[in-house]
């Protein structure tokens, strides 16, 4: 047995050895071989032998001690795992004579990713009814750090690569978008269904069921969260438009701290992905109970607005009401009525309803003129109708016609959200959608560009009035082409607790309230407005929870883009070698991105590295071989290739080469 003196000496020796070591932290990176590296925080790489790689998984954050090995390489000895890369992960199910395994997938099938090169054992209790090759969602049970052995369990089967709609299923699983309601949320949903069926809408609501509200949406829309009613009046010899926008009222039934509210906050918004949507609220609530269905009484938050004959807002107020949508109308049908199509079934509507729709069309034109005068109105962006096959692949892409009916709904929603922003600002509450104009870090470039182009401008371009005046003057001049590159020096709009302007639209304040079934921010603003109208309970959102909502929205957008790009690359493969007119959408030092106008397919023209070219970052142009390419230019391109691994489509210019 060692005496105390010997033990003390050994302890001191261990301390001295540890003190002489160099420690570092970093992230494990795999290779195509069995060895790997730790990417250290100081930029160095520390070699990990195959034996050490067995104890970690690429992506793990680890602490290592460093040494020089026999090959004079910097090598790492594993000390501890600081953060695991795999918890919930996507993988491929594998069955061999040795057992069942799951192989982690870094990304979607066919895409390049950081290699993990590890088959993780599935113990009998962790297996599922899957076939070899199936894509699955798995959870790591045992990390290999202790003995080099890892195990996992299957959480769900996604499907095989040949399954219909597998791209959508995979993307939803990757981003964990499928809502899962706990028992409390399910019970809450059942209670709401009963309340709607029994018309338990709460006291103090104004009865507006006699007014001819109508919904105008796509024919397939089920979650209808707004309905319109308009009266054209003459008061003291002066024409006025009295608009009522009825909005579904889920906030009355879903209290802020309830399970459904927490689920909605986690989701952020309903996501309308190709092949099917992912609702923010349960289907039975979004598409039935709260939806403003025709001939059904529904509780609503109503914004009543009065406009003069020119379309200028005179007054508004919010109230809780009960309404009944009299007709579910489509954009196509309403447009047919406005354009005098006598063959359309919409002409069978009552005469007073037809007149109201014509008045809505007239009001919309006047309101648009006022918006162009008082605010900022951008050019309509070309959108596309996408037809999918019965397997979830894109069959056809075609430009979507923006109808007069679309503009009716747009103007009504913009006006309502403007009223909501002003109302919430007045009471120092709510969530606002803000746009700050130019980024402060790009302001020098903005001013340099304006100086080079001899454009006079106010000194402080961060002030709302100065910014709006500049954009208006440019759009009305021969310098309108500068607006597109200037927009590249602006941030995106964002949710904010501060009632700051939305300079993208030139509005002094803006808060969305018209889609509480589909957007958490709108639902939150309904809670805020309800407190002001009925003195109900209200808890302001924390900055931490707001950040979580923003993150959820960003994740939803990323998932939507990934699925679209996956499907569009599949679709474009059959058009390699074809050409068409495209519009330039982005310009870089290497080339430019463009979108084919007829099909909406995005691709990139990459100029050879050795080819001489000049990139103007302020004007967002690239010049090469005597041709200059700028944002919004039309250019003739050819689809050269599709890289399914990187999800990229390559274009080449075939002329006319530039404007």
């Amino acid at each position: 047995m060692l005496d105390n003196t010997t033990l003390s000496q050994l302890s001191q020796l261990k301390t001295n050895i540890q003190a002489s070591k160099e420690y570092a932290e970093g992230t494990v990176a795999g290779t195509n071989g069995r060895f790997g590296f730790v990417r250290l925080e100081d930029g160095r790489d520390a070699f990990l032998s195959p034996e050490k790689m067995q104890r970690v998984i690429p992506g793990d954050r680890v602490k290592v001690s460093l040494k020089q090995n026999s090959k004079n390489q910097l090598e790492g000895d594993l000390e501890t795992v600081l953060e695991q890369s795999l918890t919930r992960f996507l993988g491929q199910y594998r069955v061999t004579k040795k057992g069942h395994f799951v192989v982690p997938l870094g990304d979607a099938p066919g895409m390049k990713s950081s290699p993990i090169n590890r088959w993780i054992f599935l113990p009998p209790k962790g297996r599922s009814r899957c076939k070899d090759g199936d894509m699955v969602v798995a959870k790591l049970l045992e990390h290999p750090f202790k003995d080099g052995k890892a195990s996992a369990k299957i959480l769900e089967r996604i499907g095989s690569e040949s399954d219909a709609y597998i791209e959508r299923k995979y993307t939803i699983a990757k981003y964990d978008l499928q809502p899962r309601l706990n028992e409390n949320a399910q019970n809450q949903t059942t209670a709401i269904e009963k309340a709607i069926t029994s018309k338990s809408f709460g006291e103090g609501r104004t009865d507006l069921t006699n007014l001819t509200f109508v919904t105008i949406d796509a024919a397939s829309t089920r979650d209808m969260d707004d309905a319109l009613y308009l009266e054209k009046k003459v008061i003291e010899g002066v024409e006025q438009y009295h608009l009522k926008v009825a909005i579904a009222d889920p906030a009355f039934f879903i209290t802020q701290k309830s399970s459904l509210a927490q689920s909605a906050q986690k989701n952020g918004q309903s996501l309308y992905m190709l092949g099917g949507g992912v609702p923010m609220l349960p289907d039975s609530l979004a598409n039935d109970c709260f939806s403003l269905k025709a001939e059904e009484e529904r509780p609503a938050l109503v914004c009543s607005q009065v406009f003069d004959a020119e379309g200028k807002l005179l007054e508004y107020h919010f109230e809780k009401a009960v309404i009944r949508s009299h007709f579910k109308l489509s954009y196509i049908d309403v447009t047919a009525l406005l354009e005098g199509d006598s063959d359309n079934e919409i002409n069978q509507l009552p005469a007073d309803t037809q007149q109201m729709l014509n008045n809505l069309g007239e009001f919309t034109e006047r309101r648009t003129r006022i918006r162009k005068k008082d605010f900022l109105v951008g050019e309509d962006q070309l959108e596309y109708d996408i037809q999918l096959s019965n397997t979830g692949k894109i069959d056809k892409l075609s430009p979507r016609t923006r109808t007069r009916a679309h503009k009716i709904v747009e103007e009504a929603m913009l006006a309502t959200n403007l009223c909501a922003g002003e109302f919430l600002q007045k009471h120092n509450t709510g969530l606002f959608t803000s746009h700050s104009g130019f980024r402060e870090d790009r302001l020098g470039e903005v001013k340099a560009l304006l100086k080079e182009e001899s454009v006079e401008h106010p000194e402080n371009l961060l002030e709302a009035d100065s910014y709006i005046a500049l954009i208006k003057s440019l759009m009305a001049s021969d310098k309108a082409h500068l607006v597109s590159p200037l927009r590249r020096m602006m941030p995106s709009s964002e949710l904010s607790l501060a009632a700051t302007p939305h300079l993208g639209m030139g509005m002094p304040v803006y808060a969305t309230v018209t889609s509480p079934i589909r957007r958490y921010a709108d639902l939150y603003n309904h809670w805020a407005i309800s407190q002001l109208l009925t003195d109900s309970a209200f808890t302001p959102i924390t900055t931490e929870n707001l950040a979580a909502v923003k993150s959820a929205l960003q994740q939803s957008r990323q998932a939507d883009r990934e699925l679209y790009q996956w499907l569009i690359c599949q679709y474009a493969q059959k058009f390699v070698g074809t050409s068409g007119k495209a519009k330039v959408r982005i310009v870089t030092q290497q080339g430019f991105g463009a979108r084919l106008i007829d099909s909406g397919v995005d691709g990139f023209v990459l100029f050879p590295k050795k080819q001489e070219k000049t990139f103007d970052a302020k004007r967002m142009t690239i010049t090469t071989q005597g041709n200059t390419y700028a944002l919004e230019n039309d250019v003739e391109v050819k689809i050269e290739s599709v890289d399914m691994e990187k999800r990229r489509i390559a274009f080449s210019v075939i002329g006319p080469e530039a404007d």
Side-chain angles (χ1 to χ4, degrees):
M1 184 174 180
L2 298 176
D3 58 27
N4 289 338
T5 300
T6 303
L7 288 172
S8 177
Q9 289 173 342
L10 289 173
S11 176
Q12 184 60 47
L13 178 62
K14 181 179 179 181
T15 300
N16 292 340
I17 292 173
Q18 289 177 335
S20 66
K21 288 183 177 181
E22 180 186 0
Y23 295 92
E25 296 179 2
T27 302
V28 176
T31 67
N32 290 323
R34 294 175 56 218
F35 63 90
F37 295 90
V38 179
R39 309 288 190 200
L40 303 178
E41 292 178 344
D42 61 10
R44 295 180 294 171
D45 287 345
F47 176 77
L48 289 180
S49 66
E51 294 75 20
K52 293 170 185 173
M53 281 297 293
Q54 280 295 106
R55 297 174 54 207
V56 290
I57 296 172
D60 284 347
R61 274 189 49 76
V62 296
K63 180 180 179 180
V64 294
S65 58
L66 303 175
K67 64 182 181 182
Q68 293 293 126
N69 62 22
S70 59
K71 296 181 180 179
N72 204 30
Q73 282 179 302
L74 182 65
E75 185 170 345
D77 285 332
L78 297 169
E79 296 289 332
T80 186
V81 174
L82 301 172
E83 184 179 340
Q84 294 181 196
S85 63
L86 289 186
T87 49
R88 175 192 180 277
F89 64 96
L90 272 61
Q92 197 162 29
Y93 202 93
R94 290 298 186 191
V95 182
T96 71
K97 293 180 180 179
K98 294 182 178 181
H100 293 233
F101 301 85
V102 60
V103 182
L105 293 170
D107 214 310
M111 287 194 73
K112 287 184 177 178
S113 59
S114 176
I116 291 182
N117 291 342
R118 188 181 198 107
W119 288 40
I120 299 175
F121 180 67
L122 294 167
K125 290 185 178 180
R127 298 171 188 172
S128 182
R129 294 182 179 180
C130 296
K131 305 187 300 292
D132 184 65
D134 280 351
M135 288 175 281
V136 296
V137 181
K139 177 183 179 181
L140 193 70
L141 294 178
E142 293 290 338
H143 192 278
F145 185 76
K146 182 179 178 180
D147 57 9
K149 297 178 181 179
S151 66
K153 66 177 290 188
I154 301 302
L155 298 179
E156 65 178 278
R157 176 183 182 271
I158 301 171
S160 69
E161 291 189 40
S162 60
D163 285 355
Y165 293 91
I166 189 60
E167 298 85 359
R168 177 182 177 276
K169 294 174 184 176
Y170 187 94
T171 304
I172 287 176
K174 175 182 176 181
Y175 286 92
D176 197 17
L177 296 175
Q178 194 63 49
R180 296 177 181 85
L181 298 181
N182 60 28
E183 185 177 353
N184 288 338
Q186 292 173 6
N187 292 338
Q188 190 181 355
T189 299
T190 300
I192 292 172
E193 291 169 353
K194 291 179 179 178
I196 295 294
T197 301
S198 63
K199 298 184 180 179
S200 301
F201 301 154
E203 298 179 355
R205 291 183 182 271
T206 306
D207 186 350
L208 300 178
T209 55
N210 63 311
L211 300 183
T212 312
F213 280 96
V214 299
T215 60
I216 306 174
D217 283 285
S220 60
T221 300
R222 297 169 61 206
D223 53 347
M224 295 166 289
D225 45 18
D226 54 75
L228 306 178
Y229 171 76
L230 181 77
E231 281 188 79
K232 186 176 178 182
K233 297 183 177 181
V234 177
I235 299 184
E236 296 181 355
V238 178
E239 274 189 353
Q240 290 183 347
Y241 295 98
H242 289 237
L243 173 69
K244 290 185 184 294
V245 177
I247 310 162
D249 192 14
F252 174 76
F253 302 91
I254 302 174
T255 56
Q256 269 188 283
K257 297 182 180 180
S258 66
S259 295
L260 279 178
Q262 292 170 15
S263 175
Q265 179 180 300
K266 178 182 180 296
N267 296 334
Q269 65 179 3
S270 294
L271 183 57
Y272 298 96
M273 303 176 74
L274 289 174
V278 181
M280 181 180 77
L281 297 174
D283 270 330
S284 63
L285 301 184
N287 297 330
D288 187 7
C289 293
F290 296 144
S291 183
L292 303 183
K293 299 168 69 175
E295 300 302 335
E296 298 280 354
E297 289 189 7
R298 288 290 185 263
L301 174 68
V302 176
C303 182
S304 299
Q305 304 161 57
V306 179
F307 300 85
D308 67 16
E310 301 303 315
K312 188 175 184 64
L313 180 66
L314 301 176
E315 59 182 84
Y316 67 88
H317 72 272
F318 289 91
E319 64 182 324
K320 296 279 189 169
V322 178
I323 69 110
R324 179 168 62 92
S325 171
H326 287 230
F327 302 100
K328 180 183 187 296
L329 305 177
S330 72
Y331 294 120
I332 294 174
D333 288 341
V334 172
T335 300
L337 175 71
L338 297 178
E339 296 182 352
D341 182 354
S342 59
D343 293 332
N344 194 283
E345 290 183 3
I346 198 169
N347 292 288
Q348 298 175 16
L349 287 175
D352 58 346
T353 304
Q354 292 189 44
Q355 185 58 54
M356 183 186 76
L357 292 171
N358 279 298
N359 289 343
L360 272 168
E362 178 183 280
F363 161 74
T364 296
E365 292 176 0
R366 299 185 183 190
R367 182 62 188 163
T368 301
R369 284 199 295 268
I370 281 290
R371 260 202 323 125
K372 288 181 177 179
K373 173 178 172 291
D374 294 342
F375 306 127
L376 292 176
V377 179
E379 295 293 326
D380 289 341
Q381 297 298 308
L382 191 58
E383 297 179 343
Y384 295 83
D385 288 317
I386 302 174
Q387 295 178 19
L388 299 183
S389 69
N390 56 11
T391 61
K393 305 293 192 289
I394 295 177
D395 255 353
K396 184 180 179 182
L397 275 160
S398 56
R400 177 183 302 160
T401 303
R402 184 168 171 75
T403 68
R404 292 177 65 187
H406 283 92
K407 293 179 180 179
I408 286 175
V409 175
E410 179 184 47
E411 289 297 347
M413 299 307 107
L414 287 170
T416 304
N417 291 333
L418 182 60
C419 292
E422 183 179 303
F423 184 68
L424 292 168
Q425 179 188 40
K426 188 184 301 181
H427 295 279
N428 195 30
T429 188
L431 262 180
F432 302 88
T433 305
S434 302
H435 186 285
S436 59
F438 298 116
R439 287 168 42 185
E440 288 195 49
D441 63 328
R442 303 294 297 275
L443 206 53
E445 292 174 79
V446 171
K447 291 183 176 180
L449 175 58
L450 296 176
K451 183 177 180 181
E452 291 171 13
E453 294 286 340
S454 301
V455 176
E456 294 185 8
H457 60 86
E459 181 61 28
N460 189 354
L461 290 174
L462 295 179
E463 289 184 353
D465 290 345
S466 298
Y467 170 86
I468 293 170
L470 171 65
I471 299 299
K472 279 183 173 292
S473 66
L474 288 174
M475 292 174 69
S477 71
D478 59 356
K479 304 288 186 180
H481 62 279
L482 295 178
V483 174
S484 290
L486 286 173
R487 291 195 189 283
R488 299 286 173 170
M489 303 185 200
M490 304 176 192
S492 300
S493 61
E494 65 172 2
L495 292 176
S496 172
L497 290 167
T500 54
H502 192 301
L503 294 185
M505 295 189 292
M507 291 187 175
V509 66
Y510 191 77
T512 56
V513 294
T514 54
S515 294
I517 297 175
R518 311 177 189 185
R519 292 193 296 248
Y520 179 78
D522 299 47
L523 178 59
Y524 176 86
N525 283 335
H526 275 235
W527 286 321
I529 292 173
S530 293
Q531 178 209 22
L532 299 170
L533 297 180
T534 65
D535 201 28
S536 57
F538 176 72
T539 304
I541 193 171
T542 64
T543 52
E544 182 180 1
N545 284 342
L546 178 56
V549 172
K550 290 180 180 180
S551 177
L553 295 176
Q554 177 61 31
Q555 180 169 277
S556 295
R557 288 190 287 266
Q558 179 66 20
D560 190 41
R561 283 194 296 267
E562 280 193 20
L563 176 60
Y564 177 81
Q565 193 62 18
W566 190 349
L567 293 175
I568 204 72
C569 283
Q570 292 175 347
Y571 175 74
Q573 285 180 306
K574 57 187 175 184
F575 296 106
V576 171
T578 65
S579 61
K581 182 179 288 188
K583 190 170 288 291
V584 177
R585 302 184 69 236
I586 187 171
V587 181
T588 73
Q589 293 177 330
Q590 292 79 36
F592 65 86
R595 172 172 290 174
L596 284 165
I597 294 172
D598 286 344
S599 66
V601 172
D602 288 318
F604 195 84
V605 174
L606 180 65
F607 295 118
K609 288 184 179 180
K610 295 182 179 180
Q611 184 171 315
E612 186 176 340
K613 45 194 173 289
T614 303
F615 174 63
D616 187 330
K618 294 193 293 292
R619 291 171 179 79
M620 291 297 291
T621 63
I622 186 169
T623 301
T624 182
Q625 296 183 338
N627 299 297
T628 297
Y629 305 91
L631 295 173
E632 301 303 318
N633 280 176
D634 287 343
V635 58
E636 197 79 12
V637 299
K638 176 183 176 183
I639 301 178
E640 288 289 346
S641 63
V642 178
D643 186 335
M644 286 303 301
E645 287 187 341
K646 296 180 180 179
R647 304 286 192 260
R648 294 177 184 171
I649 300 171
F651 287 167
S652 63
V653 178
I654 60 174
E657 296 190 337
D659 287 357

